[in-house]
Amino acid sequence: MQGMLAHAPHLTHAHVSITIAAGYLDEPSTLPGLAHLLEHVLTTAPLTASSNTSLLTWFAQHQGSLNAHTDDYVTDVHLSIPADSLEAAALTVASQLATPTISPPTIRTEVAAIDAEWQARQHSSAMQRLSAIATLSDPQHIGAGCRHGNAQTLGHHIWLLHEALTTFHRNHYHGGRVSIAIISPRATEAVTRLIQRMATLFNPLPPNAPALAITPRWGSLPRAKVVGTAHAVELLWPLPSSVSRHQFNALSDVADSLNQGYLVDQLANSIIDYHATAAPTGATDTFSLALTGTAPQERLEVLEAFLSERLAAPLATAPIDHRTVWRPPAGTVQLAAAWFVYARQQALARRLAANTAAQPYFPTRDRWPVPHWLVYSAPTTFQHADDAAHLAAVPHVQRWCGQYGVSDDFASLADTTWAACFIPNAMFLPAPLAAKRCARSGVICQHMQLAQGSWVITVGEGATVAMQTLLKEANVNTAIVPQGLLAQRLVQRLTPLPATPAVWVSHEADADVVCHALADLASRIATRSVQTPSINGSASTAIMRTLSLPGTPTQRWLLVLAEQHHSAAFFQQARYDHHLGYVAAVRRSDGAPCSLGYVVQTSEDAEPVGKKLLSITDALWQAAEDILQTPTSLKHSLTRPETPLAALITQWQSLLSGTDQPLHRLGQQSTNSQALNELLTLINTHGHWQTHWLDSTGHYRVND
């Protein structure tokens, strides 16, 4: 068993990852989707201590969150929980993973859930990429086929599946493959003891268990084509079958270095952006460099040779890793997400190191790794020089200046410079490699595209100058390329955003120059239409019922409680009791107004699903007094920002949504049970109910 921990005293929540060194390339070749199915069963099967509660419902009841992901060579279950519930949560999850109850009814339900997931995702860009990766694999390797799984590949022989799941669990979910990683505010000694207790719940390595080492999968095909939304190339350097942990960590450091702008001078001007990753999802036994844009093949081949030599360096020796403290990569917003990635990578490093003692890998100059290419093509891309543009009237720019209390979250922000800009109803198109140039100069740059517009923020010394340069060199286009599942796009519409451009700067002296630059950019609107690839996917519809309130502090807290109280019940009823679709979730938007959305995504006839969604939400609110049963849990309901950048983004989103202070900093002094009770009795007069519809053709409608 492998254990890792980090101490972060400022956290209010603990984040735990339990990673199993087994994925879909370890499952029987005749049962695609078995590893994925086991992940589903483990999180939805009844707990041993409570036949009516699964892991998912347990976490909804304890103000936490839990998710899981099956990758090619690792599977991880990760959770976030209020710190004072860490021990109970961690032991509950470890016990369920170690000794689950695998029942035929749960298997049957989760086969249907995986099939619905397959129907929703099979034509997505992520699945297109995985399909291309499969074509690059050796035809004799299990990786040469699609391993997602669906009702057809898993079949309907439930007892055969039960036997296969039991065998797969016994062979892989044991102490020889388990890694536990915890970051929390708790004392190191206490967390160490907790990890040890969790480890004892897993069985020891069984006799004749499958080998931990990875079998090389890559074939001789040099490249594969992928249909995408933009021209791009992803270079995948296969890792040797034996790489020490220190060598793997050195490769991760190379990726971090590249992402800080190290490659800017090596790239053609037509490359818009790039991102380097050690162990990317779907190809965790590789090093990836993804390039967005176009470049002559000769330039790409020069880059390939340059990076092949750069990657060979950490593999040519046995480097010593002197790091004793984990640090998130520069520009990290969500600490939990960065920690979970690190935990997965360390579990993978354990597999890569399995053969190191017998076969240490030290390449010579003539054995540099040669990458495979994933070549993405799209019918239309943004080309700034060709975009038709018109000059609009210079718009009014809304502005905010100063701290707004962010230094209360992180004292370091009192001496930090930042600039943030928002453009409504348009897509912000930064100049090629703009974010990487910022990173190279020590300025963090984050960009977010939403259904209602775009925002960008720069942070660090020189942030104002960097923002002026970004705005001067950028373009905007009124056509917004849709991204993500239909349900995700619909949820974005929950957030109220300004109808005019907006700016927030740390220092008032910088406001005028940034506002002028933003107004100038907003007046140059590109009118070229954007085409996305035509993919013959199955028709589906996302439906969301929303409750909106004006946004007083009491109303905002009420929706926090409602989200917390309704999440588990809505998920159970929408997904399992009534089979409304793969996606079923409750999502909240804080602001003025504040909103709560109940969203599903279905491939069935949308009208009956919409009616059932209406009846489910009506029933939940008819028992609304239950929301107030545990008012003391309010303090656990929100996760405070865990990084300085997250604190800035949270405040920025709060300003854009019409409130001066985010809810976590507002406090509960103005909220009490009587006020909440009074609001509940008047919910129909204060609240505005609507139903939103978005189908796979892009048609959006809303009705009361």
Side-chain angles (χ1 to χ4, degrees):
M1 203 284 297
Q2 174 177 275
M4 296 169 287
L5 60 87
H7 181 233
H10 71 286
L11 297 184
T12 60
H13 283 55
H15 308 299
V16 182
S17 174
I18 302 179
T19 308
I20 309 298
Y24 54 74
L25 296 187
D26 296 290
E27 64 195 8
S29 59
T30 56
L31 278 176
L34 186 71
H36 188 191
L37 176 61
L38 180 58
E39 169 222 307
H40 273 242
V41 169
L42 292 174
T43 55
T44 60
L47 301 177
T48 303
S50 175
S51 60
N52 296 321
T53 305
S54 68
L55 282 180
L56 291 176
T57 54
W58 191 96
F59 275 84
Q61 293 165 359
H62 291 80
Q63 296 81 56
S65 62
L66 177 136
N67 212 331
H69 176 66
T70 302
D71 213 328
D72 48 6
Y73 290 112
V74 291
T75 299
D76 71 288
V77 177
H78 47 270
L79 61 101
S80 297
I81 194 76
D84 55 7
S85 300
L86 168 60
E87 184 171 314
L91 292 173
T92 297
V93 176
S95 176
Q96 177 72 348
L97 297 186
T99 54
T101 300
I102 302 177
S103 66
T106 303
I107 295 172
R108 187 176 293 107
T109 299
E110 292 312 312
V111 168
I114 285 178
D115 191 66
E117 181 179 343
W118 165 253
Q119 297 299 331
R121 294 182 180 272
Q122 62 176 315
H123 299 290
S124 67
S125 57
M127 291 302 296
Q128 296 286 322
R129 175 179 174 272
L130 290 179
S131 177
I133 288 173
T135 67
L136 295 175
S137 299
D138 186 318
Q140 303 304 313
H141 194 277
I142 188 174
C146 175
R147 309 302 303 180
H148 182 283
N150 52 54
Q152 182 176 355
T153 66
L154 291 168
H156 302 284
H157 300 289
I158 299 302
W159 282 108
L160 291 179
L161 278 178
H162 181 276
E163 181 179 353
L165 288 168
T166 302
T167 301
F168 189 83
H169 180 272
R170 181 177 61 250
N171 287 340
H172 298 94
Y173 281 65
H174 54 72
R177 287 180 179 256
V178 173
S179 299
I180 300 172
I182 301 178
I183 184 170
S184 80
R186 301 276 296 276
T188 300
E189 296 79 6
V191 177
T192 300
R193 290 193 297 270
L194 175 59
I195 291 176
Q196 292 169 343
R197 289 180 63 191
M198 295 167 67
T200 62
L201 297 174
F202 289 89
N203 291 323
L205 177 70
N208 302 318
L212 187 63
I214 290 173
T215 303
R217 66 163 144 173
W218 300 98
S220 58
L221 191 66
R223 62 190 64 190
K225 293 184 178 181
V226 186
V227 176
T229 57
H231 290 298
V233 175
E234 183 177 5
L235 305 181
L236 296 170
W237 281 265
L239 300 181
S241 58
S242 57
V243 176
S244 74
R245 182 181 302 278
H246 294 327
Q247 288 175 322
F248 182 84
N249 288 338
L251 289 174
S252 297
D253 291 342
V254 171
D256 290 342
S257 173
L258 295 178
N259 291 332
Q260 292 307 302
Y262 178 81
L263 271 186
V264 165
D265 294 334
Q266 307 289 331
L267 299 176
N269 293 333
S270 53
I271 295 298
I272 298 171
D273 200 4
Y274 72 85
H275 188 75
T277 311
T281 184
T284 58
D285 53 343
T286 70
F287 184 98
S288 163
L289 179 69
L291 302 156
T292 304
T294 59
Q297 182 166 327
E298 297 77 15
R299 290 292 299 269
L300 291 176
E301 290 173 349
V302 171
L303 176 65
E304 172 190 318
F306 170 79
L307 266 185
S308 293
E309 183 173 357
R310 178 72 178 84
L311 294 175
L315 298 178
T317 60
I320 299 175
D321 191 349
H322 296 286
R323 291 172 296 182
T324 58
V325 178
W326 174 74
R327 298 189 184 281
T332 294
V333 179
Q334 302 297 335
L335 197 61
W339 178 250
F340 297 150
V341 168
Y342 174 73
R344 285 193 293 271
Q345 289 182 336
Q346 293 305 302
L348 177 71
R350 183 182 183 186
R351 296 200 69 170
L352 291 171
N355 282 342
T356 304
Q359 301 175 355
Y361 181 76
F362 303 112
T364 59
R365 289 182 60 87
D366 60 349
R367 291 175 59 199
W368 291 334
V370 176
H372 297 276
W373 293 28
L374 297 180
V375 182
Y376 295 75
S377 61
T380 302
T381 58
F382 294 115
Q383 298 178 357
H384 301 315
D386 297 333
D387 281 340
H390 68 271
L391 291 178
V394 177
H396 167 73
V397 177
Q398 188 174 359
R399 68 172 71 185
W400 297 278
C401 305
Q403 290 272 322
Y404 281 89
V406 292
S407 58
D408 294 340
D409 292 330
F410 287 90
S412 62
L413 291 175
D415 301 316
T416 300
T417 301
W418 65 82
C421 295
F422 169 75
I423 301 178
N425 304 315
M427 175 179 283
F428 179 81
L429 304 173
L433 301 174
K436 295 298 186 293
R437 295 183 193 279
C438 285
R440 193 170 62 170
S441 64
V443 174
I444 295 171
C445 177
Q446 289 279 334
H447 168 225
M448 176 65 70
Q449 180 62 54
L450 302 170
Q452 311 97 309
S454 301
W455 60 254
V456 61
I457 186 170
T458 54
V459 183
E461 186 177 352
T464 304
V465 174
M467 179 62 78
Q468 292 178 64
T469 302
L470 277 173
L471 297 176
K472 180 179 179 181
E473 297 178 349
N475 279 285
V476 287
N477 195 300
T478 54
I480 298 176
V481 176
Q483 297 178 347
L485 292 174
L486 292 174
Q488 293 170 326
R489 299 182 217 166
L490 207 51
V491 167
Q492 288 184 1
R493 296 177 182 270
L494 272 176
T495 304
L497 292 172
T500 60
V503 162
W504 177 38
V505 292
S506 54
H507 298 85
E508 188 171 2
D510 298 329
D512 284 345
V513 67
V514 176
C515 285
H516 289 156
L518 179 60
D520 180 64
L521 174 62
S523 68
R524 307 190 312 270
I525 300 294
T527 58
R528 184 183 182 189
S529 62
V530 177
Q531 300 176 17
T532 55
S534 176
I535 299 175
N536 296 321
S538 56
S540 59
T541 304
I543 311 169
M544 181 171 66
R545 185 127 192 263
T546 60
L547 168 64
S548 297
L549 296 167
T552 67
T554 301
Q555 292 166 353
R556 293 163 69 188
W557 276 116
L558 174 68
L559 294 194
V560 171
L561 283 173
E563 178 188 32
Q564 168 191 307
H565 190 74
H566 287 168
S567 289
F570 179 75
F571 180 80
Q572 175 66 37
Q573 293 180 44
R575 182 167 175 178
Y576 293 110
D577 297 347
H578 300 288
H579 308 289
L580 299 191
Y582 159 62
V583 176
V586 182
R587 293 292 182 264
R588 178 177 53 86
S589 172
D590 188 44
C594 55
S595 301
L596 196 64
Y598 303 79
V599 63
V600 297
Q601 181 169 324
T602 180
S603 56
E604 305 296 331
D605 184 2
E607 291 299 329
V609 172
K611 292 179 181 178
K612 181 55 67 176
L613 176 63
L614 189 72
S615 68
I616 292 174
T617 52
D618 283 347
L620 288 173
W621 280 93
Q622 284 171 4
E625 64 275 3
D626 294 343
I627 293 174
L628 305 183
Q629 287 181 349
T630 55
T632 56
S633 65
L634 271 172
K635 65 185 180 71
H636 296 312
S637 300
L638 297 175
T639 303
R640 298 177 64 88
E642 296 181 342
T643 66
L645 183 56
L648 288 175
I649 291 175
T650 300
Q651 179 62 52
W652 173 227
Q653 292 172 328
S654 182
L655 293 171
L656 289 175
S657 62
T659 60
D660 285 347
Q661 292 293 314
L663 201 51
H664 78 271
R665 211 183 306 127
L666 192 63
Q668 297 174 227
Q669 64 274 11
S670 60
T671 303
N672 54 57
S673 295
Q674 181 180 353
L676 289 169
N677 266 310
E678 291 173 354
L679 177 57
L680 278 175
T681 61
L682 298 173
I683 198 71
N684 289 326
T685 56
H686 284 77
H688 182 203
W689 286 97
Q690 290 182 309
T691 304
H692 305 250
W693 312 71
L694 178 65
D695 64 28
S696 49
T697 68
H699 178 65
Y700 169 74
R701 63 186 173 95
V702 59
N703 56 267
D704 294 332

